[in-house]
Amino acid sequence: MPPRSAPPDDSEAIASYRQAAPSTPLLPNVRAPRATLAAALGLGVLAEVLLDRPLWGVSFPLVVTALLGTLVLLGGRESWQRARPNAWLAAPLLVISGFVAVRASSWLLALNLLTSAALLLLLTHFWAAGRVQRLGLLGYPLVALSATFRGLLYPPALVRDSVDLRAAREHAPRLLPFARGVLIALPVLLVFCVLLQSADAAFAGAMNRLFDVDVWTLFGSAIGRALGVGFSACVAAAALGHALRRRRGQERGEAEAAPAVPRLGLTEALTLILGVDALFLVFAGFQVAYLFIGGASSPAEGYTYAEYARRGFFELLLVSMMTLGLVMALARWTRRESPLAQGAFRVGATLMVALTVVIVASAVKRMTLYEDAFGYTRLRLFTHVFMFALGAVLTWRAVTLWWRPERFAIGAFVTALGAVVAVNAVNPDALIVRLNIARATDSSGPDVSYLSGLSSDAVPELVRDTAPAQGWRTGLLLQYKERLPAEGSWPEWNLAHARARHALQGAGALGHQQ
């Protein structure tokens, strides 16, 4: 008999299986897939435990901090060396995510969550390489979209590289007879069960009690938590996998964008610029005369000043945004072949930006007059912050016309982050209460119906300097007391709710309730 061959080595068998396995060219390669998958599952469990609650408080910044810490630990020193130039993005991410535990306004919650998501997408993209300051204005949304869609490929890639499906495929044929046996047994068991129930009342009662069990009540919570862990783990796997990815070729932000080929002549561009400058100069003169120097009387027959302010605000805002786009387009496409041409273009464009800042100031003044007439709301305060941010971006555009034009986009991005931080620091709901109470001159007080719809951020300001004669305050405090969330577990702790509870207790609205 011929000698029997030695059994094949397991490592060789696994290697041959992986070579024979169908390739997945769409899925990326992952570094340390098992460690990354374990970390993603751990973050999924943590997120489910902390975030599966009626309210998000300190839980959200804790999850963000855990994700960043895991990213640093998994990447190691080599990854940190590549990520260090863009690591400053973690600072605004931690600050803005932390405001989720500070403010209670639903508007601020949505703004903080969206901003945190955008910062996390940028951070994961630039963790591998590149510089965020090299992006153009369109680069920011494109990087966010790219990171989102590419991140979706990493959860299946991690499973592919971490879990050996060879054993499952080998044992799958053995399970088929068992599955066929179950399918054959089910109808037979059903017939016998019906007959035996008819034969014995005690057995029938036991079977009825068995079938009356609500399976969803028993297992629904566990299934829901498992789905929540799976979803959170997929999000964590997408973020970790994309941040620690193996790069293929050059990506956005690894090199400065190539300058556009100028296509517009200097004469044509200066004609447009000077024409717009002349129009804006005349308009700015009227605005300064009416809004900043004159007596603020109605400039047109049949209009009150409040109507005049409301009528022109959005038009001026649109003009300001269009002018910013026009200056950017002209700076990109205009030929400037000599120092004299460059200087003439810069002077004309700078004058256009300066006059546009005057138009923005006019819009701000109009909004202020409208608020004086009709009161302050969240939308109007958010619009104020947006206009100040737009004025800052326009000023930065004027600076970059003369110095480092390629840095305009990063300046606009930092301004947007500053606006998000500023609107959180201002605390709009508390400011609305203070300003609307201050402008109320009659005994009926401010617009109580609007104030009653604000968040817990407004309560400390409402309680401050309470006068017994002002009955509308008492009614408002009772409404806030009814809406105030009960004290939950520590992950739901929120500074605004804690301050509101303390203020209501101090005012006697909560009595001795905890």
Side-chain angles (χ1 to χ4, degrees):
M1 292 180 63
R4 299 177 65 181
S5 60
D9 185 25
D10 290 342
S11 61
E12 294 179 359
I14 294 174
S16 62
Y17 163 75
R18 289 183 175 176
Q19 291 176 358
S23 61
T24 52
L26 293 179
L27 298 183
N29 295 322
V30 183
R31 298 180 180 180
R34 293 185 177 179
T36 305
L37 181 60
L41 290 173
L43 288 171
V45 173
L46 178 67
E48 176 64 18
V49 170
L50 293 181
L51 300 181
D52 186 22
R53 300 171 184 276
L55 296 174
W56 286 2
V58 296
S59 55
F60 183 74
L62 284 178
V63 171
V64 171
T65 304
L67 178 59
L68 292 180
T70 304
L71 184 56
V72 173
L73 291 176
L74 281 178
R77 179 179 298 179
E78 179 185 355
S79 176
W80 174 251
Q81 291 298 325
R82 293 193 303 270
R84 188 167 55 182
N86 304 295
W88 63 270
L89 289 170
L93 174 59
L94 293 173
V95 170
I96 292 173
S97 65
F99 276 118
V100 174
V102 174
R103 299 294 179 222
S105 169
S106 57
W107 287 44
L108 291 180
L109 176 63
L111 178 65
N112 293 331
L113 292 179
L114 289 174
T115 307
S116 298
L119 284 169
L120 184 60
L121 290 171
L122 290 174
L123 189 63
T124 55
H125 177 83
F126 286 104
W127 196 268
R131 299 290 186 275
V132 66
Q133 61 266 26
R134 292 173 181 167
L135 289 178
L137 275 183
L138 288 179
Y140 290 92
L142 290 177
V143 163
L145 290 174
S146 172
T148 300
F149 289 110
R150 292 172 64 182
L152 296 177
L153 302 176
Y154 283 96
L158 285 173
V159 174
R160 176 203 63 188
D161 294 343
S162 302
V163 180
D164 185 7
L165 301 178
R166 177 171 174 265
R169 293 185 180 183
E170 288 181 350
H171 293 294
R174 302 177 185 177
L175 297 177
L176 291 178
F178 175 74
R180 288 194 296 265
V182 170
L183 292 177
I184 294 172
L186 282 177
V188 175
L189 292 174
L190 180 61
V191 172
F192 286 162
C193 183
V194 172
L195 293 174
L196 292 174
Q197 280 184 284
S198 300
D200 188 85
F203 180 77
M207 295 303 296
N208 289 333
R209 288 192 297 271
L210 178 62
F211 289 128
D212 286 341
V213 172
D214 190 348
V215 178
W216 181 254
T217 302
L218 289 178
F219 303 104
S221 177
I223 294 174
R225 283 195 172 274
L227 292 176
V229 170
F231 175 78
S232 301
C234 286
V235 173
L240 296 174
H242 186 62
L244 303 174
R245 68 191 180 278
R246 298 179 186 272
R247 293 179 293 110
R248 297 177 180 178
Q250 194 174 69
E251 299 182 359
R252 290 185 180 274
E254 292 193 52
E256 297 284 356
V261 178
R263 300 181 181 275
L264 184 65
L266 179 65
T267 302
E268 295 89 336
L270 283 179
T271 301
L272 174 59
I273 290 173
L274 294 178
V276 173
D277 285 350
L279 176 63
F280 283 6
L281 185 62
V282 174
F283 183 81
F286 278 97
Q287 299 306 296
V288 171
Y290 278 115
L291 296 173
F292 300 102
I293 299 177
S297 60
S298 178
E301 179 123 9
Y303 286 99
T304 65
Y305 205 83
E307 291 172 342
Y308 168 66
R310 179 179 58 188
R311 178 182 177 85
F313 168 76
F314 291 104
E315 290 85 347
L316 295 182
L317 191 61
L318 182 60
V319 167
S320 302
M321 297 175 65
M322 291 176 62
T323 305
L324 177 61
L326 177 62
V327 172
M328 292 175 59
L330 290 175
R332 182 177 177 86
W333 298 106
T334 301
R335 291 195 297 270
R336 304 184 291 277
E337 299 171 350
S338 66
L340 181 60
Q342 181 75 286
F345 177 84
R346 286 174 172 172
V347 170
T350 302
L351 180 59
M352 183 189 296
V353 172
L355 293 172
T356 307
V357 172
V358 175
I359 292 177
V360 172
S362 170
V364 172
K365 182 67 173 179
R366 288 168 182 256
M367 178 57 71
T368 302
L369 293 168
Y370 187 68
E371 289 168 333
D372 289 340
F374 296 100
Y376 297 83
T377 65
R378 285 172 174 168
L379 179 60
R380 294 164 194 168
L381 287 181
F382 272 73
T383 304
H384 262 298
V385 175
F386 173 77
M387 288 187 295
F388 281 115
L390 178 60
V393 170
L394 285 166
T395 304
W396 178 243
R397 174 72 271 188
V399 172
T400 55
L401 285 171
W402 300 85
W403 176 79
R404 303 296 295 272
E406 72 280 1
R407 293 295 179 260
F408 168 71
I410 185 63
F413 174 66
V414 172
T415 301
L417 292 181
V420 175
V421 174
V423 76
N424 278 279
V426 164
N427 193 0
D429 286 7
L431 186 61
I432 288 169
V433 169
R434 182 165 64 251
L435 295 177
N436 282 351
I437 290 177
R439 63 175 291 277
T441 56
D442 54 7
S443 58
S444 62
D447 186 355
V448 177
S449 62
Y450 183 80
L451 295 185
S452 65
L454 300 178
S455 68
S456 297
D457 292 325
V459 174
E461 193 66 40
L462 189 63
V463 170
R464 185 176 302 166
D465 298 330
T466 302
Q470 295 174 317
W472 55 266
R473 288 183 187 258
T474 304
L476 275 180
L477 292 179
L478 291 176
Q479 293 185 49
Y480 279 110
K481 170 193 170 182
E482 295 175 357
R483 297 204 324 261
L484 187 65
E487 290 188 82
S489 54
W490 67 265
E492 299 177 77
W493 186 87
N494 179 277
L495 179 62
H497 293 315
R499 293 184 62 207
R501 189 172 292 106
H502 178 74
L504 289 173
Q505 287 176 344
L510 291 182
H512 298 288
Q513 298 178 11
Q514 297 296 325

